[in-house]
Amino acid sequence: MQSQRVLAALAAFGAMILVAQAEQRRRANDVETRAPAVERPMVVAAGETRQPVSVQAAAPSVAVMPARIPQVPKVPAVVRGTPVAVQTPTQGGLRETDRLEITNAERISIKIQGQTELSGDYRINDDHTISVPVVGRVSVAGLDAAGLEKTLSERLSRLIGREAYVTVEVTEYRPVFISGYVSKPGTAPWKPGMTVLQAVTVSGGTFRGSDSTGVDGASTKLQRTVEDQKRVLATIARLSAEQQGRDKMEIPPRLIALVGRAEAETLIEAQLTSFLSRKSATEAQVSGLKRAVALAKQEIDSIAAQRARLTEQLKFRRAQLAQLKVLYDKQFLRLDRLTEEELKIAELEEKLASLGVSLSRTQGGLIGFERDLGNLSQDRRALIDTDLLKLERDAAQLEVEIEAAGPLPRKLAKPLSDADAAGAPKKDAVIYEIVRTEAGGPRTITVDRNTLVKPGDMVVVSLQ
């Protein structure tokens, strides 16, 4: 009786093991089923979007893998050959760097190669996280765009069992808030290189001012024109460098004459991030297309070699079938042996037809890659030429407005240098402060009008 109970217990334990193994195999099959299809790299010129095109083969062969797109390199502190100093305000010890964390953004765009259903815009939550389907909730605290790309790539690679390619771009930064002694308090969209004076100008300028520290009336309008001209000239410098394929940006002499060398260098420094990002993106697209072309050609060679081998086998089988038919006619061979040989010939013919379809698909993909590679540089140059033409027209119009303002408004709108501000008598002096939220809580910093602001800052304008 006791031995029967022991046998029953062992049987139950064995059944539990079999159920666990079956559940483990089912989960492994589910993971393989969710693995995404291989897609050709997405070639996106500025201002347009193209859907990725899959390259598949019906016969077992080497698949065309997508080209890996490298991450955007970190921005160096200087432009090679032309040192550019990062602006340091005179008060508060505030320093700005080019590295902006994802927490400074409100919305980001995530593109996952081969995973179109996961790609799209994502909003940054209040707890500094984003929620990506399948991947789950991901913390972006302390990460810039490159760091988030690395984090998402690693997590996706662990889930799908192969290397993943992720691109992260900021589509909308947190706005800047302007309050205090300004004409129109409110918010303004943040832009790279935005200064306190630019933020105040967007709000209509100071409500009232005197001497060279206040701008109103005609000088307020002129100041807005000057701010627009500074931005336009700095953007023209960046696009000209991209158009000519240079590795560094030159400071336009007109920009130096308009705002001085120090501020001109700061404006060019603000354009440096966009310059390097666009250059790196173009190089990545070219590299990806070249690799896709090489892999497609390798796939075509592999299919051609398989077809050659199958053709030789088919030729041999057909000769052998002819000999077997002679034996069959002389009744030296059974019918089933002749039928077996005919079935093998039919299988070889079917494989050859399948390889022909695969070859046609791969050749079509190769033609598309080569066409995109040839059009990439032309489309990029045409886009830059169009933007440059528009900006040059804007710069010419703004220059006419500046000259038409006359000498007195230009003098009132021109910011004081640090040396002049130290010795100039002040009456109703304007005080600029930035309220910035940091890890320890809000912090108030006294700054000057040329200080760079960050996304989410509150600029407070008051009178002494």
Side-chain angles (χ1 to χ4, degrees):
M1 190 67 177
Q2 183 175 2
S3 61
Q4 292 179 353
R5 286 197 297 269
V6 172
L7 291 175
L10 290 175
F13 182 74
M16 292 174 61
I17 293 177
L18 291 176
V19 171
Q21 291 177 347
E23 179 67 17
Q24 185 177 5
R25 287 194 298 270
R26 184 186 66 78
R27 292 180 179 178
N29 291 334
D30 289 344
V31 172
E32 293 177 357
T33 303
R34 290 194 297 268
V38 177
E39 297 188 353
R40 54 171 286 197
M42 181 183 297
V43 181
V44 181
E48 69 175 8
T49 303
R50 299 181 184 176
Q51 295 296 331
V53 180
S54 300
V55 180
Q56 300 178 347
S61 58
V62 180
V64 180
M65 296 299 293
R68 181 173 183 177
I69 299 179
Q71 298 176 351
V72 177
K74 293 186 178 179
V75 179
V78 298
V79 181
R80 189 173 61 184
T82 304
V84 179
V86 179
Q87 180 182 13
T88 304
T90 57
Q91 299 180 5
L94 180 65
R95 287 183 181 272
E96 297 295 340
T97 62
D98 287 328
R99 181 180 183 273
L100 284 176
E101 296 181 358
I102 295 296
T103 52
N104 289 303
E106 282 195 344
R107 299 187 69 87
I108 60 175
S109 174
I110 299 179
K111 296 180 181 178
I112 305 174
Q113 196 167 29
Q115 299 287 342
T116 55
E117 68 277 3
L118 301 184
S119 301
D121 287 346
Y122 290 85
R123 179 174 293 277
I124 308 299
N125 299 319
D126 294 336
D127 58 351
H128 295 168
T129 62
I130 58 173
S131 183
V132 182
V134 180
V135 178
R137 192 170 294 274
V138 181
S139 174
V140 300
L143 298 178
D144 57 2
L148 182 56
E149 288 175 352
K150 181 179 179 182
T151 299
L152 291 176
S153 298
E154 292 175 350
R155 294 184 65 167
L156 277 171
S157 298
R158 290 195 297 268
L159 286 173
I160 65 179
R162 59 181 179 83
E163 191 170 7
Y165 305 98
V166 181
T167 301
V168 176
E169 294 181 357
V170 176
T171 56
E172 181 181 351
Y173 284 100
R174 295 164 57 197
V176 175
F177 302 87
I178 304 97
S179 176
Y181 217 62
V182 292
S183 299
K184 299 177 182 178
T187 61
W190 181 86
K191 296 181 179 179
M194 191 176 194
T195 64
V196 170
L197 184 57
Q198 290 173 340
V200 173
T201 303
V202 171
S203 298
T206 54
F207 183 74
R208 179 178 64 85
S210 60
D211 296 335
S212 60
T213 58
V215 287
D216 57 358
S219 61
T220 300
K221 181 179 179 181
L222 178 61
Q223 187 63 57
R224 295 177 183 174
T225 305
V226 171
E227 292 297 327
D228 290 340
Q229 182 72 313
K230 288 158 51 177
R231 174 183 56 80
V232 168
L233 292 176
T235 307
I236 288 177
R238 172 174 60 80
L239 291 177
S240 298
E242 293 180 6
Q243 183 188 51
Q244 300 172 16
R246 297 196 305 264
D247 294 331
K248 63 179 182 179
M249 299 167 55
E250 296 180 356
I251 303 177
R254 176 53 187 154
L255 184 59
I256 297 176
L258 187 65
V259 298
R261 177 168 291 276
E263 187 173 353
E265 290 177 347
T266 302
L267 291 169
I268 295 299
E269 176 79 8
Q271 293 287 333
L272 184 59
T273 301
S274 178
F275 173 71
L276 292 177
S277 297
R278 288 160 66 97
K279 180 181 178 182
S280 176
T282 301
E283 292 175 350
Q285 290 176 354
V286 172
S287 176
L289 285 173
K290 286 183 177 179
R291 185 174 179 183
V293 167
L295 290 174
K297 290 180 178 179
Q298 181 181 352
E299 177 75 5
I300 290 173
D301 293 341
S302 176
I303 294 176
Q306 293 183 41
R307 292 187 69 186
R309 290 194 299 269
L310 288 178
T311 301
E312 290 296 326
Q313 294 180 18
L314 184 60
K315 181 179 180 181
F316 172 77
R317 289 286 184 183
R318 285 174 176 172
Q320 186 175 2
L321 178 63
Q323 295 177 0
L324 292 177
K325 285 183 177 180
V326 173
L327 295 177
Y328 176 76
D329 292 340
K330 294 180 179 181
Q331 297 183 355
F332 292 155
L333 187 70
R334 295 171 54 184
L335 178 61
D336 56 351
R337 178 68 182 87
L338 185 64
T339 304
E340 180 183 354
E341 192 65 25
E342 290 176 344
L343 289 175
K344 290 180 179 180
I345 291 175
E347 291 177 358
L348 289 175
E349 290 174 344
E350 183 178 356
K351 289 181 180 180
L352 273 175
S354 178
L355 285 176
V357 174
S358 299
L359 182 61
S360 299
R361 291 179 179 176
T362 307
Q363 288 175 338
L366 175 61
I367 293 173
F369 290 143
E370 292 176 337
R371 182 183 62 249
D372 292 341
L373 185 60
N375 294 339
L376 179 61
S377 59
Q378 296 180 1
D379 293 344
R380 182 66 178 161
R381 179 173 292 276
L383 183 62
I384 292 176
D385 291 343
T386 302
D387 292 342
L388 265 178
L389 182 61
K390 179 180 181 302
L391 288 173
E392 287 172 353
R393 288 200 302 263
D394 293 344
Q397 180 63 34
L398 292 171
E399 195 65 32
V400 171
E401 295 178 6
I402 292 174
E403 292 299 326
L408 181 59
R410 288 203 300 273
K411 182 179 179 181
L412 293 175
K414 184 178 180 180
L416 287 175
S417 64
D418 293 342
D420 293 336
K426 296 183 180 179
K427 180 180 179 181
D428 291 342
V430 179
I431 299 176
Y432 300 100
E433 294 178 325
I434 289 179
V435 180
R436 179 168 295 167
T437 302
E438 298 179 346
R443 182 166 70 100
T444 302
I445 311 166
T446 302
V447 297
D448 60 31
R449 63 174 66 188
N450 295 321
T451 301
L452 297 176
V453 298
K454 294 178 65 175
D457 281 353
M458 173 173 283
V459 178
V460 181
V461 182
S462 58
L463 294 181
Q464 186 174 359

